[in-house]
Amino acid sequence: MAFKHLAAVLSIAFSLQAVQGAIIKRVACPDGRHTAINAACCNLFTVRDDIQRNMFDGGKCNDIAHQALRLTFHDAVAFSPALEAEGKFGGNGADGSIITFGNIETNFHPNIGLDEIVEIEKPFIARHNMTPGDFLHFAGAIAVTNCPGAPTISFSLGRPVATRPAPDGLVPEPFHTPDQIFARMLDALEFDPLETTWALIAHTVAAADDIDTSIPRSPFDSTPELFDGQFFIETQLKGTLFPGNGPNKGEVRSPLAGEMRLQSDFLIARDNRSACEWQSFGTDHDKLTNRFQFVLETLAMVGQDPTNMIDCSEVIPIPRNLTSAQIPHFPAGKTIRDVEAACPETPFPRLPTDAGRPTAVAPVPRG
């Protein structure tokens, strides 16, 4: 299923490239600075600049950018054809209902903490007269491109305003088992375990605010400002068992001080349906970006009719590349001996170790 979906997306991408290579008459935008293939996209240049300047602090891959990306997932994945088949409301996918009905949906357990980014985005929506769904997914696409190494992301305009909140219980949580997460993603997106692994690429630029409120903005890898494969390397390091007999009994913490490890990530990294795919993302950056581009563009169109949408991808910024120094590596003090390899088909790659003594991973900057 994974490669069927990916082939379809690549086919569309090649078609778009052919169209863009043709001679297309552009329209001048009212600002006198930009031109666009479709006049409906002109306003988005102003929106983009406002977001970059006043939400993402000049275009940074910071905590607010991470939250904006997280919001796109929680909005889109709250969708269930299985509920619809039972005659129940299954949500409308990427419709911005998490903002329109924020007083309801941000109280759902997996959405705790998203009320902050919802409140941050509301004034921008009002100022630019966009639907919540369009703004939410536009801001999420821009957020990703602020992180060096990220893929180029497309964006389409035209989501109607949501009329009902999404049902509760549809967003996967860190304490869910791989079986539960795989089943949920199959229902919502027709994603198999490989594609679900692709979706978790988002955690390379992510942090946890509400899992442990005593350590806010704890990143999931040591390079949360970069769209790279470190998350997939560091989740394979042997961890430490959570002490005690409370609700966290059995969880395996990251061996890196300051780094948050989700139990769901730990388990999917070692599941025989996903372990080899997981391991591959540590060193194959082209594959990493290609698969995440597919995931984010798929999520942004869940429940939407593409024939009613306008392609405004030209407004999304082009991400910066990683530098030659930003290569896959083990954190200081870690080597191949610290790896808990889970892919029987391919040996874990041998990587250089950072020089120096181990240091704690810093929280993601607020701004």
Side-chain angles (χ1 to χ4, degrees), residues 84-343:
E84 295 284 351
E86 296 173 5
K88 302 173 184 177
F89 179 60
N92 290 317
D95 64 351
S97 66
I98 197 168
I99 292 180
T100 305
F101 298 98
N103 60 325
I104 297 174
E105 291 193 36
T106 59
N107 289 314
F108 297 165
H109 190 266
N111 295 340
I112 297 299
L114 285 174
D115 56 321
E116 179 183 21
I117 186 63
V118 165
E119 291 305 314
I120 287 172
E121 292 195 3
K122 280 182 177 179
F124 290 86
I125 293 169
R127 183 155 66 242
H128 296 291
N129 194 30
M130 292 181 69
T131 67
D134 276 343
F135 183 85
L136 184 162
H137 291 280
F138 184 61
I142 293 173
V144 173
T145 63
N146 285 342
C147 307
T152 301
I153 302 296
S154 69
F155 173 75
S156 293
L157 184 72
R159 294 165 186 79
V161 176
T163 58
R164 298 174 65 178
D168 195 2
L170 297 182
V171 179
E173 301 210 53
F175 57 81
H176 285 165
T177 66
D179 282 347
Q180 289 174 305
I181 293 172
F182 291 154
R184 177 80 278 276
M185 295 294 279
L186 182 63
D187 175 30
L189 305 170
E190 296 186 352
F191 275 14
D192 61 21
L194 290 186
E195 289 164 317
T196 299
T197 305
W198 302 352
L200 291 170
I201 294 170
H203 287 179
T204 189
V205 286
D209 278 329
D210 304 289
I211 295 174
D212 185 342
T213 55
S214 69
I215 46 172
R217 307 192 310 281
S218 301
F220 296 157
D221 75 352
S222 60
T223 57
E225 75 287 357
L226 301 177
F227 200 96
D228 61 7
Q230 282 303 121
F231 165 72
F232 292 94
I233 294 168
E234 293 166 21
T235 45
Q236 293 289 171
L237 296 175
K238 299 171 185 175
T240 57
L241 195 64
F242 196 98
N245 294 309
N248 299 105
K249 181 181 179 181
E251 291 188 4
V252 180
R253 290 173 161 177
S254 169
L256 305 181
E259 183 174 288
M260 174 67 68
R261 176 181 287 179
L262 302 184
Q263 182 70 359
S264 53
D265 289 340
F266 170 82
L267 293 173
I268 291 174
R270 291 156 177 79
D271 190 283
N272 60 13
R273 294 164 289 184
S274 46
C276 291
E277 191 75 356
W278 191 283
Q279 179 178 295
S280 73
F281 288 131
T283 54
D284 192 338
H285 189 260
D286 287 343
K287 180 180 177 182
L288 183 85
T289 56
N290 174 272
R291 300 305 190 261
F292 191 70
Q293 179 185 37
F294 159 76
V295 166
L296 198 59
E297 292 174 357
T298 299
L299 280 164
M301 297 300 290
V302 172
Q304 304 303 310
D305 181 354
T307 64
N308 293 331
M309 310 289 278
I310 299 169
D311 183 6
C312 294
S313 302
E314 61 184 317
V315 183
I316 305 297
I318 302 298
R320 290 163 288 167
N321 293 325
L322 295 175
T323 69
S324 58
Q326 293 163 338
I327 61 173
H329 59 273
F330 289 122
K334 300 297 180 183
T335 69
I336 190 70
R337 293 188 296 273
D338 297 293
V339 171
E340 193 170 53
C343 174

Side-chain angles (χ1 to χ4, degrees), residues 27 36-44 157 310 312:
V27 298
I37 295 173
N38 191 306
C41 303
C42 282
N43 182 56
L44 293 181
L157 184 72
I310 299 169
C312 294

